[in-house]
Amino acid sequence: MSDQNIGKPVPRKEGRAKVTGAARYVDDLAVPGMLYGVTVRSHVARGRISEIIFGDRIPWDEFTVVTARDIPGANAVALILNDQPYLADRIVNHAEEPILLLAHEDKYLLEEARRAVRVEIEPLPAVFSIEDSLAKKEIVWGEDNVFKSFLVEKGNVDEVWDSPGLVVVEGVYATGAQEQLYIETNGVIATASREEGVVVQGSMQCPYYVHKALVKLFDLPEDKVRVIQTETGGGFGGKEEYPSMIAGHAALLAWKSGRPVKMIYDRAEDMTATTKRHPSRTRHRTAVTRAGQLLGMEIDFVIDGGAYATLSAVVLSRGTIHAAGPYNCPNVRIRSRAVATNAPPHGAFRGFGAPQSIFALERHLDKVAAAVGLAPEELRRRNFISRGETTATGQVIREEVDMGALLDRAFELSDYHAKRERFSRENVGNKIKRGIGFASFMHGAGFTGSGEKYLQSVVGCEATAEGRVRVLAASTEIGQGTNTIFAQIAADALGLDYERVEVVRPDTASVPNSGPTVASRTCMIVGKLVESAALQLKQTLAGAGLLQEPYTAEEFERACREYIEKNGALKSFSQYRQPEGVEWDDEHYRGDAYGAYAWAVYVAEVSVDTLTYEARVEDFVAVQEVGRVIHPVLAAGQIEGGVAQGVGWTLYESVVWAGGRMANGQMTNYIIPTSADIPPIRVHFFENPYAGGPAGAKGIGELPMDGPAPAILNAVEHATGVRFDSVPLTPEAIMEALEGEAVKA
Amino acid sequence: MKRGDVSETPGEANETRLDAGRARGSADEERPGADAARGKVSVRCIVNGEAVVLHAYPLARLLDVLREELRLTGTKEGCGEGECGACSVILDGELVNSCLVPVAQVLGAEIKTVEGVADGERLHAVQQAMIECGGAQCGICTPGMVLAALSLLERNPRPTEADIREGLAGNLCRCTGYMKIFDAVVKAVASSQ
């Protein structure tokens, strides 16, 4: 293995195509004879469909119309519980639920037709909040509105509360929904027929999820379904499970019409109808000694899953496991539930439940610190987890972890202590209040528990007679740099130039299933498989007596040519095998939850204008340990992008709900940060190579979403002296709180 | 409305004819006046240095005409309401959201899209810097962002950090957190001096 590419800022593989406009996204493609497809959706949150009326003045005989009755296989999106229909038949369970599909070659006439369909729905009582769902105000799913619950027990927290000399601190924390807002909306093009099968190309993170869903929807053999990822304009989790829905819809229209069908959502439809980050509510009760040692943590974590189960159980799992953070506490109980409401299903979004539970914990620990008269950092220092200690699930940390060093570095880069002191002094009598705060946290990489074992991901490597190497994986490039890092890893494993390696476009007809592009697993888990598949390629050549180390590129090329002339092809495949000693008990939720964690301390500096009630982030420092950094520019880009999304979630992005519908499904009034809103983000990596990752790398993608919200709200508390315990923190919320304070004063 | 009144399907009858010898076969050519009968207008303008005649409804969005008639798909639709800047083009020297521009307004105008930024195979300094600095991640905002940066540097060849932030504030990026895009603009400025 060489070290020619890893750690170097090689140019992004698709960089040139992206800066010249040559990169082709799904809406840039056209297929001869193509129709356009649209979806008729419910305007009611819950109800019984009584009639579908096709309005006048539309030439309906020209249209392809698909209802639930036209579905050849199962009317359910295959995922975990398969409870979500592709098309509602008699009952609708959320606003914007798909009921009917239309296709026509004229997209303007099609839009008129969509508006001309009237669906009569008799409303049924609906539930719109976690509280109402828990109170079973109405049972809207299963027997008790609960999709999934978990219980994590460490030690015995019940015995802690009565110990003498303890301080008990309680708090309730809440987070709102957040739209992924990838700039490219969901879209696909489908062709389908009984003879040829179903082919879908489109914007997505997980081609094999879509493949599995289409097999069930059409009741076809696996080889009659083909899914191809097109250049994808952002995902962030929003294109993890949802593409199975739109792909199915376009394919149903193609199946019935016998023509290719393109379906592209406009922004409003994408915002109102597709998934968002789960809203959450967390209760904390913490026992701490006067010296600041955490003795007991009781955590009740609840997320709003929306109307169908979709991925909520898995989101809940990650949120649950991260709820107690990177601290060594002997007694922990985490009880968690994902509950049903009549909102459109909430889904995957970067961080996947962890940002919600970490927000609660890191806000709460500032409160705990204040209760025992310690500085927030001092409380954390006294409880940081280190090697040999155990997490809430009883996972023994085997790697070297030095949270204190991350904290030191973050404080040094942000000038934390001096600013904390200076702001406190200068805020008196100032209209603009400044503050500085931080959060410390960890994020597990890869699927939770036994997830990776069940996935059994496979990656292939192929060499051509010209000595070029192709990586075969279903892991998608969605902007994060999959193509580039896979090429770096394979090139270094083979001692070749980066340019010699190409990562092929994910297409289920030609790449093995390397699993979904989610859970910060692409670099660490799949990258490791790329590395071993590449090494096997080399071993095959060596075993055939054609190659000996050290070798030149020309010698490699000659060896490939000779091997291929003799054997036809040169390919190798590598399959995931769980590392020795990793144990996970799914029933009791105990054991090694993740193969590795990334560790971090983020510092936010804010200003709060007490005239406009606007809070701004003025400076941001992100210090983390993510194992070996494969590509310094891409890695920093992941952190900066995640921090920006975190800033948005905290201060700007407010989903306004009205009767279970998103009322502000437009970029005009759902505000994401612009270049004028984002502070300088200073990123620093500690590198501590992890043996289970390629060249020592761990996961990175989700981590930066976890820290900003609590760090910013901790800073706002420092600035204003007011405790805010929910996000988004809008100017309205600040006004209400500060005016309230003024009244009290 | 009856079928065929509007047909924006690429490759079908009423595709726009490009001047400069790139005319494509079009049913309209054999039926003079067909456009007028359908309410379409002819709009003469210059796109990426090339004179073209666009045939479209006067209120058709410039965005759609560029993408569907001229097949210049580098210009992207992000929101359709002038918020995100993914559809940015330079119109007579001004950065505009092409989703808000009716095609009738571009009569006689000069339009630059992302396809007209590089000089053949040679990338513009901004494009090169976007690659080197990591300013493009998913790439969907990149064409608009490149044009916004170009437009900024045209007006202000030595922008401060505040100028860059302000100059790009009409172009939303959800991937990068903007830092690497700022770096790219700074680098492009340095490399062209």
Side-chain angles (χ1 to χ4, degrees):
Chain A
M1 300 234 304
S2 75
D3 215 1
Q4 287 303 302
N5 298 292
I6 288 173
K8 309 260 185 338
V10 297
R12 170 184 284 276
K13 281 284 177 190
E14 0 57 75
R16 193 182 174 92
K18 283 176 173 172
V19 302
T20 55
R24 292 275 177 269
Y25 299 78
V26 66
D27 198 24
D28 303 336
L29 307 175
V31 177
M34 185 173 81
L35 305 179
Y36 294 94
V38 293
T39 313
V40 175
R41 298 175 178 277
S42 173
H43 56 282
V44 167
R46 184 161 175 256
R48 193 171 282 115
I49 299 170
S50 54
E51 202 182 356
I52 299 176
I53 301 157
F54 291 85
D56 297 336
R57 296 192 305 156
I58 300 288
W60 290 110
D61 57 335
E62 294 177 8
F63 284 78
T64 302
V65 181
V66 165
T67 68
R69 313 290 156 86
D70 294 301
I71 292 175
N75 183 13
V77 185
L79 196 59
I80 298 174
L81 292 184
N82 304 346
D83 65 330
Q84 183 182 26
Y86 268 99
L87 291 168
D89 197 357
R90 292 184 306 277
I91 300 287
V92 292
N93 285 302
H94 65 85
E96 324 302 344
E97 183 159 4
I99 294 170
L100 184 123
L101 306 168
L102 297 172
H104 195 276
E105 64 187 10
D106 177 342
K107 64 180 170 185
Y108 300 96
L109 181 56
L110 184 61
E111 180 54 25
E112 283 196 29
R114 189 181 65 80
R115 287 162 198 248
V117 178
R118 211 170 76 235
V119 183
E120 298 286 336
I121 302 173
E122 300 161 29
L124 290 167
V127 165
F128 299 123
S129 69
I130 285 174
E131 291 68 32
D132 287 351
S133 181
L134 284 174
K136 305 192 183 91
K137 202 174 158 196
E138 191 68 37
I139 299 295
V140 298
W141 194 89
E143 285 169 10
D144 56 2
N145 289 342
V146 178
F147 291 126
K148 186 76 183 177
S149 61
F150 292 111
L151 177 63
V152 171
E153 293 264 19
K154 179 187 180 189
N156 187 345
V157 82
D158 291 331
E159 288 177 359
V160 169
W161 309 110
D162 298 331
S163 315
L166 272 186
V167 178
V168 175
V169 185
E170 300 189 11
V172 184
Y173 307 88
T175 64
Q178 183 186 21
E179 166 59 31
Q180 292 90 354
L181 218 90
Y182 30 71
I183 306 293
E184 180 207 30
T185 56
N186 273 285
V188 295
I189 298 174
T191 59
S193 69
R194 192 167 291 285
E195 305 69 42
E196 300 293 315
V198 173
V199 181
V200 169
Q201 51 181 330
S203 182
M204 64 185 73
Q205 292 176 227
C206 312
Y208 275 96
Y209 276 9
V210 177
H211 185 269
K212 173 182 161 184
L214 292 173
V215 163
K216 296 263 166 49
L217 174 64
F218 287 92
D219 193 20
L220 285 171
E222 290 189 1
D223 62 356
K224 283 283 190 189
V225 174
R226 179 178 174 193
V227 179
I228 306 157
Q229 184 226 4
T230 50
E231 200 73 69
T232 296
F236 318 116
K239 293 171 186 169
E240 174 172 350
E241 72 274 34
Y242 198 85
S244 296
M245 179 68 85
I246 187 172
H249 286 166
L252 285 169
L253 284 166
W255 184 268
K256 191 163 180 186
S257 67
R259 307 255 302 261
V261 173
K262 181 192 251 193
M263 205 166 205
I264 308 282
Y265 288 169
D266 68 14
R267 180 58 61 185
E269 182 172 26
D270 199 293
M271 289 180 82
T272 56
T274 76
T275 60
K276 289 172 194 58
R277 182 183 302 286
H278 290 71
S280 76
R281 191 272 286 141
T282 310
R283 283 182 204 286
H284 270 270
R285 188 171 180 228
T286 305
V288 59
T289 67
R290 296 211 173 271
Q293 194 200 345
L294 295 173
L295 278 190
M297 299 168 91
E298 190 160 23
I299 305 169
D300 177 55
F301 176 58
V302 189
I303 60 173
D304 171 357
Y308 295 107
T310 62
L311 290 171
S312 290
V314 204
V315 172
L316 184 72
S317 160
R318 186 172 279 270
T320 303
I321 291 167
H322 286 77
Y327 304 103
N328 180 37
C329 178
N331 303 291
V332 181
R333 175 180 296 141
I334 309 166
R335 198 188 286 282
S336 66
R337 284 160 291 177
V339 299
T341 64
N342 296 105
H346 295 299
F349 190 165
R350 194 179 206 159
F352 211 68
Q356 290 95 317
S357 64
I358 289 171
F359 165 73
L361 176 68
E362 287 299 300
R363 272 302 289 141
H364 186 65
L365 288 186
D366 268 30
K367 196 172 178 180
V368 172
V372 294
L374 284 177
E377 66 276 16
E378 198 45 47
L379 176 84
R380 286 168 174 90
R381 278 189 204 280
R382 291 178 191 189
N383 295 283
F384 275 146
I385 202 164
S386 49
R387 178 145 72 173
E389 294 177 333
T390 54
T391 66
T393 63
Q395 175 168 8
V396 179
I397 299 298
R398 297 190 185 89
E399 50 179 325
E400 193 59 57
V401 181
D402 193 347
M403 290 296 293
L406 297 178
L407 185 79
D408 289 341
R409 188 84 181 107
F411 277 21
E412 183 191 327
L413 288 169
S414 60
D415 200 14
Y416 178 90
H417 289 296
K419 282 183 172 169
R420 184 102 177 164
E421 188 272 325
R422 180 159 60 85
F423 294 159
S424 297
R425 189 160 28 87
E426 291 176 354
N427 279 343
V428 182
N430 228 322
K431 293 274 185 229
I432 308 271
K433 311 285 187 195
R434 307 190 76 175
I436 190 163
F438 73 97
S440 31
F441 54 100
M442 90 282 211
H443 198 99
F447 264 39
T448 302
S450 349
E452 293 294 344
K453 198 167 81 181
Y454 295 131
L455 274 178
Q456 296 195 308
S457 299
V458 178
V459 165
C461 248
E462 181 182 26
T464 68
E466 294 75 40
R468 295 190 63 80
V469 174
R470 307 170 76 225
V471 175
L472 308 169
S475 304
T476 51
E477 168 66 59
I478 54 174
Q480 82 285 47
T482 303
N483 290 345
T484 305
I485 61 163
F486 280 2
Q488 287 176 285
I489 291 166
D492 273 7
L494 291 167
L496 296 172
D497 286 346
Y498 169 72
E499 285 71 27
R500 274 193 182 258
V501 183
E502 171 199 352
V503 180
V504 307
R505 178 165 294 290
D507 173 345
T508 58
S510 56
V511 301
N513 188 355
S514 60
T517 304
V518 303
S520 308
R521 65 185 295 279
T522 301
C523 180
M524 185 176 97
I525 304 277
V526 188
K528 186 71 180 175
L529 297 175
V530 170
E531 187 182 81
S532 53
L535 289 173
Q536 277 179 45
L537 212 58
K538 186 161 73 174
Q539 280 156 12
T540 304
L541 291 174
L546 295 169
L547 195 66
Q548 251 186 332
E549 300 219 49
Y551 53 83
T552 63
E554 291 66 37
E555 285 162 347
F556 178 78
E557 192 178 320
R558 188 174 338 115
C560 290
R561 193 170 54 242
E562 285 176 22
Y563 187 94
I564 289 165
E565 276 169 9
K566 204 161 144 201
N567 302 286
L570 176 50
K571 268 191 194 186
S572 64
F573 291 94
S574 178
Q575 182 161 36
Y576 178 81
R577 245 178 285 140
Q578 190 153 289
E580 294 285 318
V582 173
E583 301 287 343
W584 177 252
D585 174 352
D586 241 333
E587 198 183 330
H588 301 99
Y589 248 56
R590 291 201 60 73
D592 299 314
Y594 298 99
Y597 295 87
W599 311 90
V601 175
Y602 285 7
V603 181
E605 181 186 327
V606 304
S607 65
V608 180
D609 186 326
T610 55
L611 288 178
T612 64
Y613 303 108
E614 185 191 19
R616 279 184 63 84
V617 184
E618 302 289 351
D619 189 28
F620 203 96
V621 168
V623 174
Q624 50 263 303
E625 191 269 284
V626 296
R628 179 86 188 278
V629 172
I630 299 285
H631 189 298
V633 173
L634 292 182
Q638 282 298 293
I639 302 300
E640 291 159 5
V643 168
Q645 289 176 354
V647 170
W649 186 45
T650 311
L651 293 180
Y652 303 105
E653 299 180 36
S654 178
V655 174
V656 178
W657 296 101
R661 310 184 83 172
M662 183 182 187
N664 57 335
Q666 283 179 288
M667 282 186 174
T668 305
N669 43 21
Y670 179 87
I671 306 300
I672 65 167
T674 71
S675 58
D677 302 317
I678 292 298
I681 302 167
R682 289 177 286 146
V683 177
H684 183 81
F685 291 111
F686 275 70
E687 296 191 62
N688 176 25
Y690 163 62
K698 296 194 285 197
I700 186 171
E702 296 173 292
L703 175 82
M705 191 69 217
D706 296 339
I712 292 166
L713 260 62
N714 289 345
V716 170
E717 180 178 348
H718 178 227
T720 61
V722 180
R723 224 166 238 161
F724 292 98
D725 291 332
S726 59
V727 290
L729 181 64
T730 57
E732 290 85 345
I734 296 175
M735 181 176 82
E736 211 168 283
L738 294 189
E739 294 287 304
E741 290 292 303
V743 170
K744 267 188 269 167
Chain B
M1 188 190 264
K2 63 180 203 299
R3 181 179 177 180
D5 269 4
V6 284
S7 172
E8 302 268 340
T9 313
E12 288 206 348
N14 34 6
E15 236 178 22
T16 303
R17 295 184 295 273
L18 277 170
D19 283 353
R22 288 217 271 131
R24 293 176 232 183
S26 162
D28 289 353
E29 279 181 315
E30 291 142 36
R31 292 186 286 123
D35 279 353
R38 292 170 177 182
K40 288 194 172 183
V41 293
S42 298
V43 178
R44 205 170 276 280
C45 59
I46 295 169
V47 177
N48 297 330
E50 199 175 342
V52 298
V53 181
L54 306 172
H55 297 267
Y57 292 101
L59 288 181
R61 305 185 301 176
L62 177 60
L63 168 66
D64 296 327
V65 179
L66 291 171
R67 288 178 52 83
E68 295 172 7
E69 308 294 312
L70 299 186
R71 302 303 297 152
L72 293 173
T73 55
T75 306
K76 308 299 183 191
E77 174 165 0
C79 69
E81 55 178 354
E83 287 291 336
C84 76
C87 66
S88 297
V89 300
I90 296 176
L91 175 65
D92 285 337
E94 292 286 328
L95 188 72
V96 300
N97 290 314
S98 63
C99 73
L100 297 183
V101 177
V103 75
Q105 259 184 22
V106 305
L107 179 65
E110 233 179 281
I111 298 162
K112 180 181 270 194
T113 71
V114 70
E115 288 88 350
V117 173
D119 180 7
E121 285 300 294
R122 217 173 119 244
L123 296 181
H124 187 279
V126 166
Q127 292 172 311
Q128 188 60 40
M130 286 285 275
I131 296 176
E132 286 170 15
C133 298
Q137 285 191 22
C138 84
I140 197 84
C141 77
T142 308
M145 201 62 86
V146 164
L147 289 165
L150 237 65
S151 166
L152 166 70
L153 298 181
E154 190 75 23
R155 285 175 282 127
N156 180 358
R158 309 275 308 260
T160 62
E161 197 207 304
D163 295 337
I164 297 172
R165 284 173 172 275
E166 175 66 28
L168 303 181
N171 291 71
L172 297 176
C173 169
R174 191 58 154 169
C175 290
T176 63
Y178 304 103
M179 298 298 123
K180 304 275 179 261
I181 297 173
F182 301 158
D183 292 351
V185 176
V186 170
K187 184 161 195 166
V189 169
S191 70
S192 52
Q193 272 164 15

